Amino acid sequence: MIRHILPAILIGAFAFVIFGPLANLAMWAFAEQWFFPNRLPTEWGFDFWARVFRPRAGAWTSLFQSVAIAVSTVALSIALAIPAGYALARLRLPARSLIMLLFLLPQAFPSLPIFVNIARMFYGMGLNGTILGVVLVHSLPGLVYAVWIATASFAAVDRAMEEAARNLGAGPLTTFRDVTLPQAFPGLVAASIFVFLDSIDEFTGTFFVGTPDVTTLPILMFNASMGGNYQVAAITALILLIPSVGFMLVIERFLKADVLSRIGR
């Protein structure tokens, strides 16, 4: 009996840790009034949703800027990751392990001092408060996902098919375009989604490099929470949660086991 109860308790505790904050977030998003000591909102409704999406509220502008920055970050990161990943997967580069480690360094240190120093450098270059500056600072962590997954994707490509294409007269570029790239494409899609999600949720880099001229959804959520507008902050958080959940389901489909097994090799 205890053998069955203990796993059930552990699963219930695990579910509470994950879904408890999400349930609280959902309640705040639809709460019209919720004051202490009430454990549940006393009034429910959609009034705050209407306020968030009013033209003057800035939510639409923040949403469009967030998506535009994330898409630009994906384009830049993947454009750099494809040649880098191919070279790291196929060529006998000296100090290959060191190069792979260098792409992890941005994640090895606290992000706050890194972004503060980047903001200082960008200020001298005139990139502070610009979309380009925010895209560049978002690409720093984005390249970690892009390069590592791209390297694993190209390493998982069947070289026999490439050799067959070369034997049939295809040149190196044609073989890469028609044989190598289609096989690596699912991994590159997964890398793009990781970069997109990381960019659209990025707050610290945007705060130090983009504000006050560039306002993304995380910045809007932060301003709302600091001002005590918890309903607005909760609604913004739910909007950010939707692409995260949807894209993670897509990643599960595209990121295959053979690619995962080669990450870091």
Side-chain angles (χ1 to χ4, degrees):
M1 186 67 176
I2 297 178
R3 289 184 306 173
H4 298 289
I5 294 177
L6 185 58
I9 293 175
L10 292 176
I11 293 173
F14 184 70
F16 177 78
V17 170
I18 294 178
F19 296 106
L22 294 178
N24 185 71
L25 187 70
M27 285 192 293
W28 269 114
F30 297 98
E32 294 293 328
Q33 291 187 4
W34 193 359
F35 302 107
F36 183 81
N38 298 311
R39 295 186 178 182
L40 293 174
T42 55
E43 290 187 20
W44 303 81
F46 294 90
D47 184 57
F48 282 94
W49 286 81
R51 296 185 191 181
V52 167
F53 289 104
R54 284 184 304 185
R56 290 190 300 175
W60 286 113
T61 302
S62 299
L63 177 60
F64 291 146
Q65 282 195 341
S66 296
V67 173
I69 290 170
V71 170
S72 302
T73 302
V74 168
L76 177 60
S77 299
I78 295 299
L80 296 174
I82 288 177
Y86 184 85
L88 290 168
R90 296 303 185 84
L91 305 181
R92 294 182 179 179
L93 299 176
R96 177 185 178 277
S97 298
L98 179 60
I99 295 173
M100 295 289 289
L101 181 63
L102 288 175
F103 284 103
L104 282 179
L105 284 181
Q107 302 293 334
F109 298 98
S111 60
L112 184 59
I114 294 176
F115 288 136
V116 168
N117 282 279
I118 291 176
R120 183 176 60 84
M121 294 171 54
F122 280 10
Y123 183 80
M125 302 177 191
L127 292 173
N128 270 53
T130 65
I131 297 291
L132 177 60
V134 175
V135 170
L136 291 175
V137 79
H138 283 199
S139 298
L140 183 64
L143 279 173
V144 176
Y145 300 109
V147 172
W148 275 66
I149 297 178
T151 301
S153 299
F154 285 117
V157 169
D158 187 359
R159 299 196 181 191
M161 296 183 64
E162 295 177 323
E163 293 172 357
R166 295 298 301 273
N167 290 334
L168 292 174
L173 291 178
T174 303
T175 301
F176 178 80
R177 183 191 64 195
D178 295 339
V179 179
T180 307
L181 198 58
Q183 291 187 68
F185 182 74
L188 296 176
V189 170
S192 301
I193 293 173
F194 274 115
V195 175
F196 182 90
L197 294 177
D198 183 78
S199 175
I200 206 169
D201 289 334
E202 177 60 47
F203 166 76
T204 310
T206 310
F207 181 80
F208 284 103
V209 174
T211 55
D213 301 298
V214 179
T215 302
T216 59
L217 281 179
I219 297 294
L220 183 66
M221 182 177 64
F222 174 79
N223 292 335
S225 61
M226 289 296 99
N229 298 318
Y230 300 121
Q231 288 91 338
V232 175
I235 292 169
T236 309
L238 285 178
I239 296 172
L240 288 170
L241 187 64
I242 292 172
S244 299
V245 174
F247 280 140
M248 289 307 294
L249 296 176
V250 177
I251 289 173
E252 185 182 7
R253 177 180 179 183
F254 278 97
L255 204 56
K256 302 300 182 182
D258 56 341
V259 175
L260 288 171
S261 64
R262 295 178 182 270
I263 292 179
R265 292 186 178 182

